[in-house]
Amino acid sequence: MVKTALLSAIFAAFLTAGSAQAETCRQALALGLDVSGSVDAREWQLQIEGLARALASPEVTRAFLAVEGAPVWITIYEWAGDASPRDLVPWVAIRSQDDLQDVQRKLRSLTRVPHGPGTAMGEGIRFGGARLSERPGCWRYTLDISADGRSNMGPRPERVRFEPNLSDVTINGLIVSTGSDTADAAAVTRELDGLERYFRGAVIKGYGAFVERAGSYHDYDRAMTRKLLKELQTLTIVWLDILPDQNGQN
């Protein structure tokens, strides 16, 4: 189709021109991990290791490195029920597989620290928005919030998500079942259905925003892999509508 061919040519020319100038930020991606009282030491470790494994996935690696000269910048933090979210991995541009491996090593070197028992999701979202504001000029801004329960303290996430520094940010969710070790499959599904409804009504926002589901923390790496692939393979491009001329030709 003429439209598709023309768009491809314009996009290629844009990247070629951009490569001669300053490097472009394709996407700023902030990952916020729930470490509230419902997440015990074993689950914390599964979450950290699951994220590291997701970042090591060949498909995710290819998605990160898909556009040369326009890297994805990533930062990772954890949040809980207090007012002190903790940075785990400061901002880093992913330009090579080595960069991704460095992030994995940083994650695996972490030591768990105590946090408050509550779930201040609004505070976690606000912290992520502040971090994203540190990366101006990116094509796309994405905030991920992982959690195994609803917010029960602090600012309400349904209000925080529309604060000014989050106006251009897409917020996605990754929800985790906490009863999967003892509950049957139907109970896990009911739990995740309820949590997904909450996330859709109070947490996620933006074009293409979605909620990914993990049946347990043992399934965290697979859920995170699916989520990262959806986010990294989504690049917003303004499609040009080529209208036919009076003779009906493109």
Side-chain angles (χ1 to χ4, degrees):
M1 278 187 353
V2 173
K3 180 171 74 172
T4 303
L6 180 59
L7 179 62
S8 299
I10 292 173
F11 189 42
F14 174 76
L15 290 177
T16 301
S19 63
Q21 303 172 5
E23 186 179 61
T24 299
C25 168
R26 182 164 106 246
Q27 184 175 16
L29 176 61
L31 306 177
L33 310 182
D34 178 9
V35 293
S36 58
S38 60
V39 181
D40 62 25
R42 179 182 62 88
E43 292 167 338
W44 181 88
Q45 190 62 53
L46 287 169
Q47 185 173 209
I48 293 296
E49 179 61 26
L51 175 53
R53 288 183 180 180
L55 292 171
S57 161
E59 296 87 354
V60 170
T61 299
R62 286 194 293 270
F64 265 107
L65 305 179
V67 183
E68 185 177 358
V72 174
W73 285 75
I74 186 173
T75 188
I76 304 167
Y77 66 96
E78 61 184 21
W79 58 273
D82 50 24
S84 57
R86 179 173 73 131
D87 288 307
L88 302 179
V89 178
W91 281 116
V92 57
I94 305 301
R95 302 183 181 93
S96 68
Q97 188 171 1
D98 287 343
D99 293 328
L100 276 174
Q101 290 173 346
D102 283 342
V103 174
Q104 295 158 37
R105 282 192 288 268
K106 287 178 182 178
L107 287 170
R108 289 177 170 135
S109 69
L110 292 170
T111 301
R112 184 171 180 257
V113 301
H115 282 275
T119 305
M121 197 177 300
E123 185 67 32
I125 292 173
R126 183 174 287 164
F127 185 87
R131 285 292 174 266
L132 287 166
S133 68
E134 298 171 353
R135 302 300 319 165
C138 295
W139 297 353
R140 183 176 176 86
Y141 293 88
T142 307
L143 173 59
D144 288 342
I145 297 294
S146 299
D148 61 11
R150 303 184 180 204
S151 185
N152 57 26
M153 66 182 299
R156 297 173 63 179
E158 56 264 44
R159 295 180 179 176
V160 172
R161 62 180 172 167
F162 294 113
E163 291 181 350
N165 67 337
L166 288 160
S167 60
D168 296 326
V169 175
T170 296
I171 303 178
N172 298 321
L174 193 162
I175 57 175
V176 188
S177 169
T178 58
S180 55
D181 290 340
T182 56
D184 60 25
V188 170
T189 297
R190 288 194 297 271
E191 178 191 3
L192 290 175
D193 286 347
L195 191 52
E196 181 171 347
R197 285 193 295 271
Y198 173 74
F199 260 67
R200 291 191 177 280
V203 180
I204 70 171
K205 79 168 184 75
Y207 178 77
F210 64 92
V211 179
E212 192 60 65
R213 297 159 64 120
S216 73
Y217 279 100
H218 290 284
D219 190 44
Y220 193 88
D221 60 335
R222 288 183 289 272
M224 178 60 76
T225 298
R226 292 191 300 269
K227 184 176 64 59
L228 288 172
L229 287 175
K230 289 179 185 178
E231 292 165 336
L232 295 168
Q233 292 172 353
T234 299
L235 181 61
T236 304
I237 301 174
V238 178
W239 286 80
L240 302 176
D241 288 323
I242 309 300
L243 298 178
D245 60 21
Q246 293 181 347
N247 294 322
Q249 299 177 338
N250 286 339

